[in-house]
Amino acid sequence: YSTRSLEGKEQIASQFISEIGDEFKKIVEVDQFESHFLNHKEILFTPQISVKVNLKDLDFFKELFFERGMSATALNNYLSCPWKFFYRNLLQLPEEKNKYLIYGSAVHNAVNRYLRAAKVSSPTVDYLLNAFEQSLFKESLAGTEYDELLQKGKKSLPGYLKERLVNWPKNIQTELFISGINLNDDIKLTGKIDLIEDIGKAGQVIVYDLKTGRIKRRSEIEDYKRQLLFYKLLLDRYRQ
């Protein structure tokens, strides 16, 4: 990044740069680039080349649909509202995450880190809470929201560790990504399964999908039922 702006003001690295691992960084001399820019400032006025997509180009969207693949979440979004699926899953327009989604992601990350560590050591509750706090810290939250979610996690995670995490076998698989499963020539299935436990019965497994919201009534779990059926279809074809 440039240490100074075009006006000569000092600049600092963005958060995104500071989070890049050292193994992905390369220190190079930039004198030649600066010299080229100083001698060719006309590049600032070069017209921007933009690629426009015709929203009536069905072949484009058909190709994009196959490239993205259909996940359980995408299917639920489509059944809820086709336009929601179009913008959120097909075009993948950026969205601001609300605090509930941020909390759920931080819990998922903490649980996955704990279970991976448990394969080779005996992590404590402090390890779980530190993993949660680190995940939460990386998100964009107001001070009050950060404190609220941090206290919520510190209150709920120790109990979850005692009741569930310590009882799961060490061979449990976390975050299985599956893509490229062709349902037919036009539909490709994809998905991420939170946890899979092999119960050793002719390839049978137990699938866990972590949820951090309130307990749902029977009339509200249709999306969850559809999600589990989707995972079964995905895994059956994945094993083949």
Side-chain angles (χ1 to χ4, degrees), residues 68-71 173 175-182 188-193 196 230-239:
R68 297 274 195 244
M70 177 65 80
S71 67
Q173 185 172 354
E175 289 197 331
L176 174 64
F177 291 90
I178 301 176
S179 63
I181 304 297
N182 293 342
K188 180 174 66 176
L189 303 182
T190 183
K192 183 187 76 170
I193 299 176
I196 293 184
F230 188 96
Y231 287 158
K232 184 181 187 307
L233 177 64
L234 194 63
L235 286 172
D236 284 345
R237 292 178 176 264
Y238 178 67
R239 288 186 296 182

Side-chain angles (χ1 to χ4, degrees), residues 12-203:
I12 60 174
S14 73
Q15 177 182 346
F16 303 105
I17 293 179
S18 64
E19 291 177 351
I20 297 175
D22 292 336
E23 66 273 21
F24 302 112
K25 295 179 182 177
K26 182 179 180 181
I27 307 299
V28 298
E29 293 293 335
V30 298
D31 293 345
Q32 57 176 325
F33 304 110
E34 292 178 347
S35 176
H36 177 77
F37 173 73
L38 290 174
N39 294 321
H40 299 85
K41 289 188 176 181
E42 66 274 10
I43 62 177
L44 290 173
F45 304 99
T46 302
Q48 183 177 2
I49 300 176
S50 60
V51 178
K52 295 184 178 180
V53 176
N54 185 353
L55 292 181
K56 295 182 180 180
D57 186 352
L58 297 182
D59 288 336
F60 168 79
F61 288 110
K62 183 178 180 180
E63 181 179 345
L64 183 62
F65 172 74
F66 188 78
E67 178 185 328
R68 297 274 195 244
M70 177 65 80
S71 67
T73 301
L75 176 60
N76 283 334
N77 285 340
Y78 177 81
L79 294 174
S80 170
C81 174
W83 284 114
K84 180 180 180 181
F85 163 82
F86 179 77
Y87 288 112
R88 180 173 293 179
N89 303 105
L90 193 59
L91 296 186
Q92 295 185 355
L93 297 182
E95 295 182 83
E96 181 182 7
K97 293 194 293 185
N98 60 49
K99 66 178 183 179
Y100 305 106
L101 184 59
I102 289 174
Y103 176 75
S105 297
V107 169
H108 276 62
N109 291 335
V111 170
N112 285 325
R113 286 180 58 183
Y114 178 92
L115 290 174
R116 288 197 296 268
K119 294 178 183 294
V120 295
S121 62
S122 300
T124 63
V125 64
D126 288 336
Y127 181 94
L128 178 64
L129 293 177
N130 287 335
F132 170 74
E133 187 170 356
Q134 289 172 14
S135 296
L136 201 62
F137 183 76
K138 294 179 180 179
E139 300 288 351
S140 297
L141 285 166
T144 54
E145 289 184 334
Y146 175 81
D147 292 337
E148 174 191 345
L149 297 185
L150 181 61
Q151 293 306 315
K152 183 178 180 181
K154 287 184 175 181
K155 181 180 179 180
S156 61
L157 283 172
Y160 188 67
L161 171 64
K162 181 179 179 181
E163 295 296 328
R164 299 302 299 271
L165 287 184
V166 294
N167 297 320
W168 274 331
K170 289 191 175 182
N171 65 343
I172 196 166
Q173 185 172 354
T174 64
E175 289 197 331
L176 174 64
F177 291 90
I178 301 176
S179 63
I181 304 297
N182 293 342
L183 186 62
N184 55 39
D185 293 338
D186 299 316
I187 301 176
K188 180 174 66 176
L189 303 182
T190 183
K192 183 187 76 170
I193 299 176
D194 290 339
L195 302 169
I196 293 184
E197 179 183 353
D198 186 350
I199 58 177
K201 294 182 179 180

